Amino acid sequence: MPLEKYKADLAELKARDRLRSLSGESGLDFSSNDYLALSRAPSIRRALEEALAEGIAIGSGGSRLLRGNHPAHEELESKAAAFFGAERTLYFTSGYAANFTILSALPKRGDLVIFDELLHASSREGIHSGLAKRCKVPHNDLEAFDDALRKWHAAGGKGQPWMAVESLYSMDGDFAPIAGLVELADRYDAMLVVDEAHATGVHGPLGRGLTAPYEGRDNLIVVHTCGKALGATGGLVCASKTLIDYIINRGRPFIYTTAPSPLMALAVSEALSLLEREPERREALTRLIDFANSQLTAKTGFPGSGSQIIPVVLGPDGKALQVANFLQERGFDIRAARPPTVPEGTARLRIAITLNNDETQVSQMLDTLVEALAESEAQAEVAL
Ligand code: PMP
């Protein structure tokens, strides 16, 4: 097979400081989404050990629609519906599959999907593979959503309008104006799809997300991912019974895939129990988030985000890589986020605050960041 074109593409990525490669865990965790440090929680491990001892299947053995539907999946879905306040939930292998499925299967030809320009790739790819018209609007701009909906109606749009957003943006760490979006959905008879990936477990009452006050409405679909604060993997779609039944019948990535491991469904169930049983974990994280944001601004002048995702926008890809390397060499696992994951010219450090660290470690990381920024400035001056 001629490999030249692939090699040339890789060489071009490298020349532009965009080549990615896989690297393992090393240094203090300031980059994972394991916000509540549940990925190693003893009570979840114990629940899995007991289930294994009782003979739970490791693999599901098939699609949920065939023999792969296990009691652990259904127990998780009932528990999640009660926890989040949804009429029904459906468990997917990943948040990616959940977002892709709902946004490719539900909006139909003749519908319009209005989406935030920073919406995650999984949702955007769902929208792009569906048949509805699409309209991208500036980030967190309620007026732009309003305008798009008004123009659609004025132009005689007959189909269903949809809005798709994240509640807490994964690369900027800022929150969506959920109350305003719910109001727009009601006013224009639109459907609102909210990806809570980074808010699940961390924000809202008991970690139920920013949509918690609105759960149970027919015009709201919410995705909670399980691979971040819940410490496991998977995605839970919360919606009305009708829409969940529809996805089971028409959502191709749900139908034509092996069901998630029953063990993973059990781990997610246990994580939800933990959120209820131990709200102090979330409270400790909230205090650490406040500490990190205020200390970042005090020490570096960079604005905080107010959430556990703190971007330090540095601009050029090379600069972000250089500052990230400086931190990594000193034992802090902080990664550079570069285009196309973030817009051109906004390469950044994406600092994640998790309960895998405490205030002392956060302070040490910020002091090292101050050194890294100074070193980067000094090098830039030499280059001039
Ligand atoms: N939505 C957002 C906002 C994400 O950041 C991610 C993962 N990075 C996903 C969805 C996909 O979730 P999963 O990792 O469970 O596939």
Side-chain angles (χ1 to χ4, degrees):
M1 182 191 180
L3 297 178
E4 294 321 312
K5 57 177 182 273
Y6 302 104
K7 285 184 181 164
D9 195 13
L10 289 170
E12 197 229 347
L13 286 173
K14 187 163 169 52
R16 293 164 60 211
D17 284 327
R18 298 226 168 133
L19 187 68
R20 304 170 199 228
S21 59
L22 302 177
S23 61
E25 267 183 29
S26 134
L28 291 178
D29 173 16
F30 283 101
S31 66
S32 83
N33 302 315
D34 184 19
Y35 302 124
L36 293 169
L38 292 191
S39 69
R40 292 185 170 83
S43 64
I44 300 179
R45 295 177 92 91
R46 270 197 306 279
L48 297 193
E49 277 160 13
E50 281 165 23
L52 279 169
E54 284 164 16
I56 192 171
I58 292 169
S60 60
S63 162
R64 287 286 298 278
L65 287 170
L66 299 170
R67 222 180 135 83
N69 191 38
H70 284 250
H73 298 131
E74 295 195 353
E75 279 158 27
L76 166 61
E77 287 164 350
S78 308
K79 182 171 200 157
F83 179 82
F84 291 112
E87 192 177 5
R88 284 282 196 284
T89 72
L90 192 63
Y91 183 49
F92 281 75
T93 316
S94 69
Y96 192 106
N99 281 330
F100 182 90
T101 305
I102 54 180
L103 283 162
S104 58
L106 297 178
K108 297 294 180 200
R109 194 186 297 281
D111 290 359
L112 171 71
V113 188
I114 309 162
F115 62 97
D116 190 286
E117 64 181 342
L118 296 189
L119 189 64
H120 190 259
S122 52
S123 299
R124 295 164 79 111
E125 270 147 44
I127 295 169
H128 278 260
S129 67
L131 296 174
K133 280 206 159 67
R134 33 183 197 267
C135 167
K136 180 166 77 177
V137 293
H139 180 50
N140 269 349
D141 187 341
L142 262 184
E143 254 175 54
F145 277 98
D146 194 334
D147 267 5
L149 287 163
R150 203 178 40 246
K151 285 186 185 140
W152 163 255
H153 279 299
K158 296 265 183 297
Q160 172 70 53
W162 295 74
M163 292 182 284
V165 298
E166 289 173 37
S167 61
L168 167 54
Y169 282 86
S170 57
M171 290 294 146
D172 287 58
D174 57 345
F175 297 101
I178 295 292
L181 290 161
V182 169
E183 191 273 320
L184 284 182
D186 287 347
R187 179 144 48 97
Y188 288 102
D189 230 348
M191 289 294 297
L192 176 61
V193 180
V194 182
D195 177 3
E196 294 265 23
H198 295 274
T200 307
V202 180
H203 299 280
L206 287 180
R208 289 168 51 216
L210 299 180
T211 52
Y214 312 104
E215 253 311 350
R217 291 168 170 242
D218 277 353
N219 60 357
L220 179 66
I221 302 177
V222 178
V223 175
H224 292 281
T225 66
C226 314
K228 305 185 193 299
L230 301 185
T233 62
L236 284 160
V237 174
C238 297
S240 59
K241 178 181 181 312
T242 307
L243 291 184
I244 296 292
D245 285 345
Y246 186 84
I247 296 166
I248 292 171
N249 283 277
R250 294 281 189 213
R252 298 173 67 83
F254 178 83
I255 300 167
Y256 297 107
T257 196
T258 299
S261 163
L263 270 178
M264 205 40 73
L266 184 63
V268 177
S269 281
E270 282 303 310
L272 294 180
S273 302
L274 241 158
L275 293 186
E276 273 175 330
R277 244 187 4 251
E278 296 180 10
E280 56 278 11
R281 273 180 187 264
R282 236 187 75 250
E283 289 154 14
L285 180 59
T286 303
R287 286 194 297 277
L288 195 60
I289 292 171
D290 291 346
F291 176 80
N293 276 283
S294 63
Q295 289 293 299
L296 172 84
T297 306
K299 290 184 180 186
T300 68
F302 276 94
S305 63
S307 76
Q308 77 277 21
I309 299 167
I310 308 182
V312 174
V313 179
L314 296 171
D317 296 9
K319 184 171 180 185
L321 274 183
Q322 185 196 6
V323 175
N325 284 340
F326 185 100
L327 287 153
Q328 286 161 14
E329 280 162 12
R330 284 154 188 81
F332 301 98
D333 184 1
I334 294 182
R335 312 284 170 106
R338 289 165 283 162
T341 305
V342 296
E344 282 299 330
T346 71
R348 64 196 67 186
L349 305 179
R350 178 187 181 275
I351 303 177
I353 302 302
T354 73
L355 288 184
N356 290 314
N357 298 309
D358 59 18
E359 282 193 5
T360 309
Q361 291 160 329
V362 169
S363 285
Q364 287 166 349
M365 178 275 289
L366 289 173
D367 290 339
T368 312
L369 173 61
V370 171
E371 282 173 41
L373 293 171
E375 158 101 2
S376 158
E377 288 307 314
Q379 285 195 3
E381 271 168 33
V382 170
L384 287 175

